[in-house]
Amino acid sequence: MGFFMLPCCLFVVIIRLFAEGKDQSKMPHIIFILADDLGFNDIGYHNSKIKTEHLDELARTGVRLENYYVQPVCSPTRAALLSGRYSIHTGLQNGIIWPSQANALPKNETTIAEKLKEAGYRTHIVGKWHLGFYRREFIPTRRGFDSFYGFLTGGEDHYSHVNRLGFHKPGFENLHGYDFWRNEEVERDVAGKYTTFLLAEKAEQIIKKHDSRKPLFLYLSFQVPHMPLQVPNRFLERYLDIRDHKRRIYAGMVSCLDEAVGNVTRALKQHGLWESTLLIFSSDNGGQPMGGGNNWPLRGWKGSLWEGGVKAVGFVNSPLIQNPRIHFDLVHVSDWFPTLAHLAAVSVEGLPLDGVNQWKSISEGSPSLRKEVLHNIHCKRKLQRKSMRCKAALRKGDWKLLIGRLGNSSWRSEEHTSEL
């Protein structure tokens, strides 16, 4: 019998035996924490008015990424993270995946969760997916994750877990529905409980139950501080000096995020995983002023190709990195795929990646292999004019090429965050 004629279950056993034959003790536990709509000016080490003591300390004792880029909106950034590819190669250059769209991260794209699973990792996603669900084959448990706890769409009410973002189609704006899942089943007993607390508690449970002899990959994808603006009152008490109502709630949501990250970090230490953990923190795009976010001193905000839309908050912390510092070399969200694959000792040969392995640059301070970032290319044909309209942005070294209408382009100081 030829190799490719082996029964599927036997093939899976062979893959697992190969993974278990590796020295898994040398593979770090990987915790990737993604914030949602966190602005460049919305973290304590950029803005002392924002109280994020846990995040600030992790950044101070780790490697702070100050030339770090993502995509201008949610789905494209998440696709680049999981696939290692630019939006023009995943079909998401146009923007997010709406609930009514028959669209998803293409099935022929290998995810980093699948590669890490090859190496013997236990893989979990907790939180927001937003990479398509119109067929079962596109949901997280079919894309390399052993478990999923969270929601499939782009956002929801933080307490009721009802998606009220509407459908991107005239006449269907008021459609909405409950969206919270445990693996492939609806999780019904969380209504009324604040999403950030639920996600952090689930992450802590996964850490507590994890066999430390096996490598762990936990993708913790929060919704905060994304709209709707909701947060428990105890977080608002820290920001009574902020007059702008939206900004005050938003700041409270950021502090709630900070507390959640602190709880997860503490759990890693209490259960003996921290000393061999690599923790990565990132925002998915720039802040949204209408939702209380702020990107000062950068120009533009979420949805634009100006710096305020694509330059993100990010850092790496790990006991495996001995030299805390601020890192100014170029890094793009697609780089995490080859970097994490390198740490797991799995080959990426044959994969058409746009990301580059940044491990030596981040861990040792060697020059980054990345010299340019393609922020996006999006062209739309105008049928009446029989012409093509494009918007695009490319950074190369210290230069940035901008073409077309790039989205909101103003600068917004903190005092004028939500006055739109």
Side-chain angles (χ1 to χ4, degrees), residues 113-409:
E114 291 171 316
K115 296 303 290 184
L116 293 177
K117 202 168 182 177
E118 280 183 29
Y121 275 76
R122 301 297 182 262
T123 59
H124 306 274
I125 173 174
V126 176
K128 177 175 171 175
W129 175 239
H130 207 188
L131 285 175
F133 60 93
Y134 74 98
R135 288 207 300 262
R136 193 171 289 270
E137 65 192 75
F138 293 115
I139 63 179
T141 46
R142 308 295 177 96
R143 304 307 301 266
F145 290 98
D146 293 322
S147 75
F148 168 51
Y149 182 82
F151 54 100
L152 293 167
T153 56
E156 57 176 24
D157 185 280
H158 292 273
Y159 289 99
S160 70
H161 312 297
V162 170
N163 183 307
R164 298 186 184 278
L165 295 183
F167 282 43
H168 195 50
K169 194 172 183 181
F172 291 85
E173 294 86 352
N174 294 323
L175 285 180
H176 53 266
Y178 184 82
D179 181 20
F180 209 93
W181 302 78
R182 182 187 297 271
N183 298 321
E184 299 184 12
E185 302 294 331
V186 175
E187 180 77 334
R188 300 185 182 279
D189 65 352
V190 297
K193 299 177 183 178
Y194 192 64
T195 305
T196 305
F197 295 162
L198 290 169
L199 302 184
E201 289 167 5
K202 182 61 177 179
E204 292 175 64
Q205 291 171 11
I206 289 171
I207 291 165
K208 181 179 180 179
K209 294 178 181 178
H210 182 73
D211 181 352
S212 62
R213 295 170 296 180
K214 302 287 185 180
L216 167 68
F217 174 50
L218 172 58
Y219 173 33
L220 180 51
S221 178
F222 287 105
Q223 186 181 342
V224 286
H226 191 292
M227 294 187 288
L229 294 174
Q230 300 167 314
V231 74
N233 286 333
R234 66 182 175 89
F235 294 99
L236 293 177
E237 293 170 0
R238 308 179 187 185
Y239 296 103
L240 297 178
D241 58 327
I242 296 180
R243 296 170 57 187
D244 183 284
H245 180 67
K246 290 182 179 179
R247 182 65 173 168
R248 183 165 60 252
I249 299 175
Y250 178 96
M253 294 171 78
V254 176
S255 286
C256 184
L257 167 68
D258 179 71
E259 180 181 279
V261 173
N263 291 343
V264 171
T265 305
R266 184 178 63 248
L268 290 165
K269 294 175 180 177
Q270 288 176 343
H271 298 288
L273 275 63
W274 178 251
E275 291 305 315
S276 55
T277 287
L278 177 74
L279 185 147
I280 302 166
F281 180 86
S282 170
S283 180
D284 65 343
N285 46 248
Q288 170 59 274
M290 288 181 290
N294 188 265
N295 304 299
W296 184 264
L298 305 180
R299 183 182 188 181
W301 54 85
K302 175 182 177 178
S304 81
L305 293 174
W306 300 103
E307 292 290 278
V310 293
K311 192 169 187 177
V313 170
F315 61 78
V316 180
N317 190 295
S318 174
L320 306 174
I321 298 175
Q322 301 299 319
N323 181 23
R325 67 191 183 283
I326 299 177
H327 184 278
F328 289 105
D329 282 8
L330 274 179
V331 180
H332 183 256
V333 64
S334 63
D335 296 339
W336 296 121
F337 189 116
T339 302
L340 300 183
H342 166 78
L343 291 171
V346 289
S347 173
V348 296
E349 186 175 356
L351 293 178
L353 300 180
D354 297 305
V356 301
N357 180 1
Q358 294 276 12
W359 183 242
K360 277 198 169 184
S361 181
I362 290 171
S363 64
E364 301 175 10
S366 302
S368 172
L369 297 175
R370 178 174 289 282
K371 306 303 177 186
E372 64 182 28
V373 173
L374 176 63
H375 296 298
N376 203 22
I377 303 173
H378 176 222
C379 295
K380 186 181 296 185
R381 183 175 295 278
K382 297 294 182 181
L383 296 178
Q384 293 178 338
R385 299 181 182 180
K386 296 182 179 181
S387 62
M388 189 80 76
R389 176 177 291 174
C390 295
K391 60 179 180 180
L394 170 72
R395 174 169 174 176
K396 189 174 181 66
D398 291 333
W399 294 87
K400 186 172 180 180
L401 174 66
L402 303 161
I403 297 174
R405 297 179 180 178
L406 305 172
N408 43 74
S409 60

